[in-house]
Amino acid sequence: MDKNLLQKVYDPEAFRKAGHALVDLLADHLQHVQKRPDEAVIRWEEPQDALQYWTDYQADPQHPEQLFRDILDKSIHLHHPRYMGHQISVAAPMAALTSLLDGLLNNGMGVYEMGQAGTAIEKVVVNILNQSIGYPEAADGVLTSGGTLANLTALLCARQHQSQLDPWKEGSREQFCLLVSEEAHYCVDRAVRIMGWGEEGIVKVPVDENFRMRTDLLEKYHREAVAKGKTVVAVVGSAPSTATGTYDRLEEMAAFCQAHGLWFHVDGAHGGAAIFSARYRHLLKGLEQADSIVIDCHKMMMTPSVATALLFKNGAHSHATFSQKAQYLWSKAEGREWHNLARRTFECTKLMMSLRFYALYKLHGAAAFDAFVSKLYDAGRQFARLLAAQEDFECLLPEPDANIVCFRYVPSDLAAEQWDALNAQIRQHLIEQGRFYIVETKIRGRHYLRTTIMNPMTDVQDFEELLSCVRLAAVAGPEIPQ
């Protein structure tokens, strides 16, 4: 065994050299992709081929920059203006540097003494978000690893607050349920099943022609649930829905919840960041009345993944969700200690995710978030207008709420019943070609191409070229069965 191996692993000068090389590599990458080269956004490989490549890979410890270069080369490039795929942030470089800082310091933040700076900064970030929403001073919250975990935690809190018993201590004897839009994110359904409520635990309310929950039907669905012996815990609003990018009417939902004594939760994972946009904040009217809110910083606030804010209008609620004794972690078994975060989240070891938002806020101010959200939402409308002007394309919504735009290629020389297969074929061709990255979805049984415009460098030229590539893909693919 090499007696000096661990010294080499932790060598500061080797780290300095490799770190400089990595930053140079990433800076060159940013500069290159922003010039709109013809190179691919994604270099498609079959999963087994990728697995074999990295299984057989030989890294040179003397030249780690080659490892960095190969990983970069074989990864999808979100900073390319033609990345229009999933809802994940095109990370701001300064926020990315805080991930390096977090990674090296590795302060697990379950208890305050293990993450003093990160814990205090997290409290500052939560306060900034709560104030931006318009929450009262008593509001509180935590950051956690993703919207799925945050939504589950919020709904556990709702159950704890609304139940006649204490489910955390006594188990669950009631048939709980939620009222949600049929377009709600799948993680809400998943949370219901994790909590043991089963299929009966989620009541899906239909949407209108613009895919907003029909709030006029809430009374009917609530009455039917109660008649079946269910305990309705909460109504969940989407801000916006993932598939279509449509915001629910939050103010109307809040009024319904208040009238019926229900918990009002808003899944604003994607679009909650519009609280910073002077132009689009109106989409969140009524948000300040929600009992709990989820907002992903790693979607529309330029931070690396993952960093999700779970916010409570009444801060005391976040302390009541989990109540366990862990004397090896904290000295006081009871009490509301904001600084011991493991009391309020699933996580004990927790990233210093607050650094990412905090760095951007302190370096550039809230105006940066306003500019980012507004630019991307404007781009969504611009793309929709371009689609509306094309005879061979169909846009799901003529004026989308957000930066999510669903559309279909509908050539007149092909029967309508063949369009679904054609659009599925087009998407596969695009991903294998790699010049653009978009995704796909099924809406009301029909196949749509789906773009989420996440890169502020994307412009109308990219949209026009995307439509050209779609048309070419329709011709290049295999013949559609008659």
Side-chain angles (χ1 to χ4, degrees), residues 14 25 71 84 213 220 250-251 283 310 313 316 382 431 477:
L25 174 66
I71 292 172
M84 306 178 197
M213 179 197 277
K220 173 180 179 291
L250 303 182
E251 194 169 38
L283 294 168
L310 169 57
K313 185 175 183 178
Q382 183 182 43
I431 194 172

Side-chain angles (χ1 to χ4, degrees), residues 172-183:
S172 178
R173 305 175 197 174
E174 302 172 70
Q175 174 58 67
F176 297 113
C177 72
L178 306 173
L179 300 178
V180 303
S181 162
E182 62 180 344
E183 289 292 329

Side-chain angles (χ1 to χ4, degrees), residues 112-396:
Y112 171 71
E113 62 198 49
M114 277 298 296
Q116 297 178 75
T119 301
I121 290 172
E122 180 164 323
K123 178 65 172 172
V124 173
V125 170
V126 165
N127 289 344
I128 291 169
L129 293 172
N130 282 333
Q131 290 163 11
S132 300
I133 289 166
Y135 264 178
E137 193 173 330
D140 203 353
V142 293
L143 302 187
T144 192
S145 297
T148 297
L149 189 58
N151 278 308
L152 172 59
T153 306
L155 295 174
L156 281 169
C157 184
R159 181 190 68 173
Q160 189 79 1
H161 184 262
Q162 297 293 109
S163 176
Q164 295 177 6
L165 302 174
D166 184 346
W168 187 248
K169 294 180 179 179
E170 303 177 57
S172 178
R173 305 175 197 174
E174 302 172 70
Q175 174 58 67
F176 297 113
C177 72
L178 306 173
L179 300 178
V180 303
S181 162
E182 62 180 344
E183 289 292 329
H185 192 269
Y186 74 87
C187 75
V188 177
D189 186 284
R190 180 175 289 180
V192 165
R193 296 171 191 271
I194 289 172
M195 291 188 291
W197 301 359
E199 290 185 357
E200 291 296 311
I202 189 157
V203 178
K204 294 187 176 181
V205 181
V207 295
D208 62 18
E209 66 279 3
N210 291 316
F211 302 94
R212 292 182 177 85
M213 179 197 277
R214 286 190 55 187
T215 52
D216 61 307
L217 295 178
L218 278 172
E219 189 68 52
K220 173 180 179 291
Y221 279 82
H222 179 265
R223 185 171 58 251
E224 290 176 352
V226 172
K228 292 178 182 179
K230 299 180 183 180
T231 300
V232 182
V233 170
V235 176
V236 179
S238 299
S241 61
T242 300
T244 65
T246 299
Y247 283 77
D248 283 333
R249 299 178 182 88
L250 303 182
E251 194 169 38
E252 294 178 15
M253 298 168 84
F256 179 84
C257 288
Q258 187 173 15
H260 291 79
L262 302 177
W263 186 279
F264 180 35
H265 174 66
V266 175
D267 178 6
H270 181 83
I275 57 174
F276 292 108
S277 171
R279 189 148 60 247
Y280 293 104
R281 184 184 173 91
H282 69 275
L283 294 168
L284 291 164
K285 188 178 181 182
L287 181 68
E288 72 285 351
Q289 299 179 55
D291 294 291
S292 54
I293 302 166
V294 165
I295 304 177
D296 283 347
C297 298
H298 61 267
K299 284 191 170 70
M300 295 298 294
M301 286 190 274
M302 297 177 281
T303 77
S305 301
V306 285
T308 298
L310 169 57
L311 308 168
F312 293 93
K313 185 175 183 178
N314 182 343
H317 290 152
S318 69
H319 294 271
T321 307
F322 306 110
S323 55
Q324 291 174 289
K325 294 182 180 180
Q327 305 295 7
Y328 59 91
L329 288 178
W330 43 75
S331 57
K332 296 180 181 179
E334 306 297 335
R336 297 173 184 171
E337 296 178 329
W338 65 266
H339 51 277
N340 283 324
L341 296 172
R343 286 181 176 273
R344 295 188 286 157
T345 68
F346 276 99
E347 298 159 295
C348 184
T349 304
K350 193 158 82 80
L351 297 174
M352 298 169 69
M353 58 188 74
S354 58
L355 305 189
R356 301 159 190 181
F357 175 95
Y358 186 80
L360 293 177
Y361 186 85
K362 289 297 180 180
L363 292 171
H364 303 293
F369 303 124
D370 184 349
F372 188 77
V373 173
S374 299
K375 177 75 183 294
L376 295 184
Y377 279 27
D378 284 349
R381 285 161 169 74
Q382 183 182 43
F383 187 30
R385 287 194 296 271
L386 176 63
L387 286 163
Q390 315 298 313
E391 293 185 357
D392 52 349
F393 282 93
E394 173 185 287
C395 190
L396 181 67

Side-chain angles (χ1 to χ4, degrees), residues 45 48-58 70-71 73-74:
E45 285 185 292
Q48 281 303 122
D49 294 337
L51 176 61
Q52 194 63 53
Y53 177 86
W54 293 109
T55 300
D56 298 339
Y57 189 86
Q58 299 294 317
D70 290 338
I71 292 172
D73 185 61
K74 289 185 172 290

